[in-house]
Amino acid sequence: MATKKTKKKPATNLKRKALVDKSSVKNPREKNAAGANQFAVSDPAEKLISMIGSSFLNEGSSTYGTPETELATEAYDPAGLDAHTQQIINTATQVAKSDHPEDLLKIARWARTELKVRSTPTVLLAVAAECPETKQFVRKYTPLICQRPDEVKQAFIAYRQLFGTEDSLPNSLKRGLSDRISKMRESDFLKYEGQERPYWSDIIRMVDRSKDWPVSQATFNYLYKGETDPEKTPVFFARKALNQLKTFDEKAQSLAKASYATWENVLSQFGNSKDVWEYLVKSGQLGYMALIRNLRNMLQAGVSMATVNAACDALVSGAVNSKQLPYRFLSAYKQLEGINTPECTRILGALASALDAVVANMPRLPGNSLIACDTSGSMSSTVSDKSTVTRKEAACILGAIAYKLSEGASEIGAFSNEYKTANVNPGMTTLEIARRVGDLDVGAATMTHLVFDHATKSSTRFKRCLLFSDMQAYDKSISNVYGRGQGGSAATSLSNARKKNGLVYLHSVDLAGQGTSLTKQSDTNTNLVGGYSEKVIDTVLAFEGIKKDATSQTVTGDEATSGAREFTLEYIRKNF
């Protein structure tokens, strides 16, 4: 008689000593921004993790304001900061004063590296430079957080606006900024100088300096006096020569390349013409973000199909290493819709292929996934004041990525007053899946509990639910919502789904950074995270203990979930 094989069950009972200890966590409730009861996130580090990825400081765009939550005792309240920015700064301060102060810098580095957030990590760095508990770590982390040269300026400005005086910086920040400046090239100083202060000369005056440190004497002479030398500062010399020209001829093109002139430099000096755009594309002087943001401008300038093809090749081949947030591809796509030309059609196809190339390079999610995208009314606000992409669209893009990565009988849908499953398949492009999810008519309220009610009734046994939402779920205290019944308890519905369906994990991806939770913080099978980056999937893998091979692809089969599980905070501590 054959021996019956039993399928391995995913490990759900965690050894607490291997993870962040939640055994003594209290589970207080508070009102969310929609006015419903929700769970507070009492651990400041976990709260910051759920807030930071979707927070563009002082660019908030939300249907809701900031919920009335208790802020740190020593709260910083400089003029000009909105309430949400203030909440993040105060939460960061609480992390700095916790038993694990280095967490603040690690979270900032993680947000900059994996979530692709630029401004907020430099503000956290400024907070760390001010707090006595974290000053010792600032020099080490400054070059790791200020990954682009302009982020040196952002950190400098952030500290002075929040805490500084006109003539001083903390020694730890002075030394960290000097270390980062010492790695800058001549072209970096030119690209990120700008027309407004602080200039690089202002910053260098206030950081640690010694002979030829953090810049050479020749570079110092250029920044302070405008002096150039063809041998010691060839890039500065070439730019000065370029600035004297009025015609974009071969000499100008050669100097533009030698001086690493940006597209803004070239266009402002020589005009927004077909010839200029064709040179920029063919010479490779357009960075990926500049390329994806200027596709419409190139078409309007009348570039040739050969130039369009070169741009499309660059879009697809450079996508994996582009470090673009997924919604950037949608933003570019939206700008081109309605232009009915062969050139535009070619570019639209390349944008879809570029995002699919990013997804194809990501590790897979073994097991059945239920992916739910919040398309309620509050999700119609844009991700920032500077963007045309809504949180709803960002949720659908991230959901579509998760769907294409998921194996088995996975499904994706939208929820609001009701939950509906989208009619899609993994062979579709990511953009098409996102569009179909966004087009589902499900109302305008935020009935999050309906997602878990759907799982409870489903014949498909889901291993996980990925929820992309602003997390402002309605509960039973909110009735007759938009003319359709009342809210319900997301926590109760999730508990029922776990009992009756076997659903194990909830990955709660907060796209508004409000800092509250659908479940108790002591729930060891709920992953609280936030952000618009596809890298949130890495926290899913770590949280479930899904192993990756040497090529960063997921190990499949019974061995896929035999790795050690890590809470997101533990994952950040380990890797950043």
Side-chain angles (χ1 to χ4, degrees):
M1 182 175 176
T3 303
K4 186 177 180 180
K5 292 184 178 180
T6 57
K7 196 170 184 179
K8 285 188 178 180
K9 294 182 179 180
T12 60
N13 295 319
L14 304 181
K15 292 182 178 179
R16 296 195 185 276
K17 64 180 181 180
L19 300 169
V20 179
D21 185 9
K22 294 197 173 189
S23 59
S24 60
V25 170
K26 296 180 180 179
N27 298 289
R29 289 178 179 268
E30 63 183 33
K31 294 287 186 182
N32 65 18
N37 290 313
Q38 214 153 288
F39 291 99
V41 183
S42 56
D43 184 304
E46 294 195 8
K47 182 174 183 177
L48 189 61
I49 288 168
S50 72
M51 296 174 69
I52 188 175
S54 53
S55 299
F56 299 101
L57 294 189
N58 264 22
E59 292 181 29
S61 178
S62 175
T63 301
Y64 304 116
T66 300
E68 295 293 330
T69 56
E70 183 180 353
L71 299 181
T73 303
E74 298 178 36
Y76 298 111
D77 189 19
L81 297 183
D82 61 38
H84 189 247
T85 300
Q86 185 63 55
Q87 187 184 24
I88 289 176
I89 291 172
N90 292 340
T91 303
T93 304
Q94 290 177 313
V95 177
K97 296 180 180 300
S98 71
D99 293 338
H100 300 278
E102 192 176 357
D103 285 349
L104 176 58
L105 282 309
K106 288 182 174 291
I107 291 169
R109 183 186 177 192
W110 166 72
R112 179 63 189 94
T113 304
E114 293 213 336
L115 300 189
K116 306 171 188 175
V117 180
R118 290 183 47 236
S119 297
T120 310
T122 61
V123 173
L124 301 191
L125 179 65
V127 172
E130 177 66 11
C131 294
E133 298 84 354
T134 44
K135 283 187 177 183
Q136 61 182 308
F137 308 114
V138 168
R139 182 173 187 177
K140 170 186 172 182
Y141 282 93
T142 298
L144 301 173
I145 293 169
C146 298
Q147 296 180 11
R148 278 189 9 174
D150 57 332
E151 288 156 15
V152 170
K153 284 191 173 185
Q154 289 180 8
F156 177 86
I157 292 168
Y159 184 83
R160 294 186 71 187
Q161 286 186 347
L162 291 173
F163 318 110
T165 63
E166 289 295 316
D167 298 307
S168 66
L169 291 175
N171 287 333
S172 58
L173 188 58
K174 282 183 180 181
R175 291 162 185 159
L177 293 178
S178 287
D179 292 343
R180 180 62 184 89
I181 291 170
S182 72
K183 304 297 182 183
M184 288 172 57
R185 302 163 297 180
E186 292 176 60
S187 56
D188 294 328
F189 290 108
L190 289 170
K191 182 174 182 178
Y192 298 107
E193 180 59 287
Q195 300 298 316
E196 297 181 359
R197 303 187 79 166
Y199 305 130
W200 287 116
S201 55
D202 297 323
I203 295 173
I204 289 173
R205 179 177 66 86
M206 293 185 65
V207 301
D208 261 17
R209 288 175 291 149
S210 59
K211 181 176 174 57
D212 288 323
W213 177 267
V215 297
S216 67
Q217 185 63 48
T219 296
F220 182 90
N221 290 343
Y222 173 78
L223 296 176
Y224 277 80
K225 305 174 186 179
E227 296 177 357
T228 61
D229 185 302
E231 295 183 0
K232 295 180 178 179
T233 56
V235 176
F236 294 147
F237 184 84
R239 180 64 61 84
K240 200 167 187 177
L242 176 66
N243 291 342
Q244 308 303 313
L245 303 180
K246 298 185 181 298
T247 304
F248 197 56
D249 52 19
E250 288 188 8
K251 180 180 180 182
Q253 293 177 13
S254 176
L255 287 171
K257 190 168 186 178
S259 67
Y260 298 90
T262 66
W263 65 275
E264 296 102 328
N265 299 142
V266 176
L267 261 68
S268 64
Q269 186 168 345
F270 299 105
N272 185 10
S273 69
K274 171 185 174 181
D275 290 342
V276 170
W277 278 115
E278 292 195 337
Y279 164 80
L280 288 171
V281 172
K282 292 176 182 177
S283 67
Q285 283 184 248
L286 273 180
Y288 199 92
M289 179 173 279
L291 176 61
I292 203 169
R293 285 182 170 179
N294 283 288
L295 296 169
R296 186 182 182 92
N297 290 335
M298 287 189 290
L299 290 179
Q300 289 176 335
V303 299
S304 66
M305 180 60 87
T307 301
V308 168
N309 287 334
C312 291
D313 290 344
L315 282 173
V316 177
S317 64
V320 171
N321 296 318
S322 68
K323 298 182 180 180
Q324 297 299 302
L325 292 167
Y327 71 71
R328 300 282 189 198
F329 296 94
L330 175 61
S331 179
Y333 199 97
K334 289 173 65 177
Q335 289 181 358
L336 297 174
E337 287 183 308
I339 302 177
N340 297 315
T341 65
E343 292 84 359
C344 186
T345 300
R346 173 81 170 89
I347 292 175
L348 291 174
L351 284 169
S353 297
L355 181 53
D356 284 347
V358 173
V359 178
N361 196 56
M362 295 175 64
R364 293 319 191 236
L365 294 173
N368 299 332
S369 300
L370 172 60
I371 301 150
C373 303
D374 183 352
T375 59
S376 63
S378 62
M379 294 288 284
S380 63
S381 58
T382 55
V383 298
S384 81
D385 291 342
K386 298 179 181 179
S387 178
T388 62
V389 175
T390 65
R391 288 196 173 105
K392 168 185 170 179
E393 291 170 328
C396 292
I397 286 287
L398 289 172
I401 290 172
Y403 175 74
K404 286 183 73 73
L405 295 175
S406 296
E407 300 175 346
S410 297
E411 68 174 67
I412 183 173
F415 71 93
S416 183
N417 285 85
E418 57 185 310
Y419 171 85
K420 287 184 180 179
T421 302
N423 181 20
V424 296
N425 65 75
M428 295 177 177
T429 67
T430 308
L431 286 174
E432 175 61 15
I433 293 169
R435 185 190 66 79
R436 292 200 180 195
V437 174
D439 285 347
L440 291 171
D441 182 9
V442 290
T446 312
M447 306 289 206
T448 310
H449 67 286
L450 296 178
V451 175
F452 308 124
D453 290 347
H454 169 78
T456 299
K457 299 171 186 175
S458 177
S459 59
T460 301
R461 292 178 66 83
F462 297 107
K463 179 179 181 181
R464 69 184 66 85
C465 174
L466 290 99
L467 189 72
F468 298 96
S469 170
D470 61 9
M471 302 301 161
Q472 302 308 301
Y474 295 176
D475 64 6
K476 292 181 180 179
S477 68
I478 302 179
S479 61
N480 197 29
V481 182
Y482 295 98
R484 293 193 189 180
Q486 66 181 127
S489 169
T492 300
S493 292
L494 174 60
S495 178
N496 291 336
R498 283 172 167 163
K499 292 174 184 175
K500 298 179 181 180
N501 177 274
L503 185 148
V504 179
Y505 303 112
L506 169 63
H507 299 279
S508 177
V509 184
D510 192 336
L511 300 182
Q514 295 285 350
T516 56
S517 173
L518 299 174
T519 65
K520 295 179 179 180
Q521 195 177 347
S522 57
D523 181 351
T524 57
N525 286 325
T526 293
N527 175 28
L528 298 181
V529 69
Y532 297 116
S533 169
E534 77 283 358
K535 287 289 188 177
V536 296
I537 299 299
D538 281 358
T539 73
V540 174
L541 302 176
F543 193 84
E544 296 185 15
I546 298 172
K547 295 198 299 185
K548 292 187 289 186
D549 62 20
T551 64
S552 291
Q553 293 300 307
T554 304
V555 176
T556 57
D558 288 344
E559 296 302 313
T561 55
S562 61
R565 288 186 54 199
E566 295 174 327
F567 285 129
T568 298
L569 177 54
E570 200 66 26
Y571 165 77
I572 292 170
R573 285 174 176 169
K574 178 180 176 181
N575 294 284
F576 297 93

